[in-house]
């Protein structure tokens, strides 16, 4: 049997003020084409379908559109679960009806944890899709007085499942969790505040493949068949070096899995650029991907006027600028206590040298003094 494993779509994500829905639609078109070519028996989406519990309307339309195409047009069953960003109840809407149409949505944790059964030439495969749930919810729905954290909660669910799983039947687990030792990024929201959020990979014993969501970088956890597919797009600048992909898995008659990652190419990449402003503007001229989402680390030691405006002339999607070499020195110059003590002339002279990198000349200082004097005179006459 062949299946596609993807996760962390985060539909409706806003990245530094930019709505990513169009970029998400673009990459999901690509994913749909990959599914069309691969002709899998099922597509698995391992949570964080939406970026927030109440997603924007166009994110809901996009999901509706993608799922309709996959299930109705391409003709592939889809199994999806809620992640920690999703609202279990909202995602569950219509789930019992949709299951009859090959769309298997697991929003709220169900006490029965019944598998979706998919047949291939070698017989049935049980897919256990476990939506993300807080430990108290697991205690309430599944039972288990010793549930304290995510590890013991998921352990309880898996014991519940494996106790009923026929030994000779192949099985896949779909879950949204943070496995110990995983490589994280800046865009995974912590699963618990304070308590431990990680689970041991050993708890997945007995499943032939574990399709995980939550970590945004594709990776395996402990063993090859315990996989994170990663997110479909880079959702933070900390992911700039990631290769985003979907995972295609070929499972044989014994449950052994061959794993392949197919790269996704976004409409706009997320990149980090470093250099002095002049350097960056110069190099940008031969850059073919000026629409990418850019974070700039400016290495100028002197303050630069209107850096964002000038960068956006070449990189319209410059979203963030970092000034590691300036921060420390300007912080001293701009300490509020100093401001109160400085005269206007001193303040302006300090501003002038920060912006131009040079001291004011005698005639410039005089010109400034004349302007201030003229303003004062006007003020006096007005009162
Ligand atoms: Mn997550």
């Amino acid at each position: 049997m062949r299946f596609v494993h993807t996760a962390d779509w985060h539909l409706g994500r806003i990245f530094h003020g930019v709505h990513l829905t169009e970029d998400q639609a673009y990459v999901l078109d690509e994913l749909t084409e990959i599914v069309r070519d691969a002709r899998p028996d099922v597509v698995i989406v391992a949570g964080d379908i939406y970026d927030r519990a109440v997603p924007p309307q166009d994110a809901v339309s996009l999901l509706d559109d993608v799922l309709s195409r996959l299930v109705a047009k391409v003709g592939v069953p889809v199994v999806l679960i809620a992640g920690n960003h999703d609202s279990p109840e909202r995602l569950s809407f219509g789930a019992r009806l949709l299951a009859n149409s090959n769309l298997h949505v697991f929003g709220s944790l169900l006490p029965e944890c019944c598998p979706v059964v998919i047949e291939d030439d070698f017989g049935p495969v049980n897919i256990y899709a476990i939506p993300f749930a807080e430990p108290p919810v697991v205690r309430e729905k599944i039972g288990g007085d010793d549930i304290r954290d995510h590890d013991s909660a998921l352990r309880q669910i898996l014991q519940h499942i494996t106790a009923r799983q026929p030994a000779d039947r192949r099985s896949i687990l779909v879950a949204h969790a943070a496995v110990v030792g995983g490589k994280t990024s800046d865009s995974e929201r912590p699963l618990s505040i304070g308590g431990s959020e990680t689970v041991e990979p050993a708890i997945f014993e007995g499943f032939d493949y574990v399709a995980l969501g939550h970590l945004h970088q594709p990776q395996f956890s402990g063993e090859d068949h315990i996989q994170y597919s990663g997110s479909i797009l880079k959702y933070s600048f900390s992911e700039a070096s990631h290769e985003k992909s979907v995972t295609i898995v070929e499972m044989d008659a014994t449950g052994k899995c061959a794993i392949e990652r197919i790269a996704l190419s976004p409409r706009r990449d997320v990149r980090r650029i470093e250099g002095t402003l002049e350097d960056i503007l110069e190099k940008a001229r031969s850059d073919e991907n000026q629409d990418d989402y850019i974070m700039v680390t400016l290495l100028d030691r002197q303050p630069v006027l209107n850096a964002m405006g000038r960068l956006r002339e070449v990189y319209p999607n410059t979203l963030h600028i970092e000034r590691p070499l300036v921060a420390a020195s300007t912080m001293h110059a701009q300490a509020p206590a100093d401001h109160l003590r400085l005269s206007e002339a001193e303040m302006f002279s300090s501003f002038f040298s920060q912006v131009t990198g040079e001291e004011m000349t005698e005639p410039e200082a005089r010109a400034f003094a004349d302007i201030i004097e003229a303003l004062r005179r006007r003020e006096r006459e007005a009162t």
Side-chain angles (χ1 to χ4, degrees), residues 84 132 134-135 148-152 154 176-180 182 184 188-200 214-215 228:
N84 57 313
F132 175 81
E134 298 290 347
R148 313 166 303 280
D149 51 19
H150 286 278
D151 187 86
S152 45
L154 195 51
H176 195 87
V179 178
V180 171
T184 59
E188 294 111 8
R189 186 191 295 163
L191 299 181
S192 64
I193 305 299
S196 163
E197 63 165 27
T198 53
V199 304
E200 293 287 340
H214 187 55
L215 298 183
Y228 283 98

Side-chain angles (χ1 to χ4, degrees), residues 269-320:
D269 200 1
V270 170
R271 286 195 285 151
R272 303 178 64 148
I273 297 179
E274 195 178 280
T276 63
L277 182 63
E278 293 311 320
D279 254 16
I280 292 171
L281 296 177
E282 171 65 29
K283 284 189 192 134
R285 283 196 270 163
S286 53
D287 191 335
E288 285 171 9
N289 302 306
Q290 294 185 343
D291 279 341
D292 286 351
Y293 296 116
I294 307 282
M295 168 179 159
V296 170
T297 304
L298 275 189
L299 297 182
D300 299 82
R301 286 180 182 279
Q302 295 300 335
V304 187
L305 257 195
N306 192 21
M308 184 59 101
R310 294 176 66 194
L311 283 164
R312 281 189 172 164
E313 278 171 27
V314 285
Y315 292 118
N317 295 310
T318 304
L319 300 182
H320 184 61

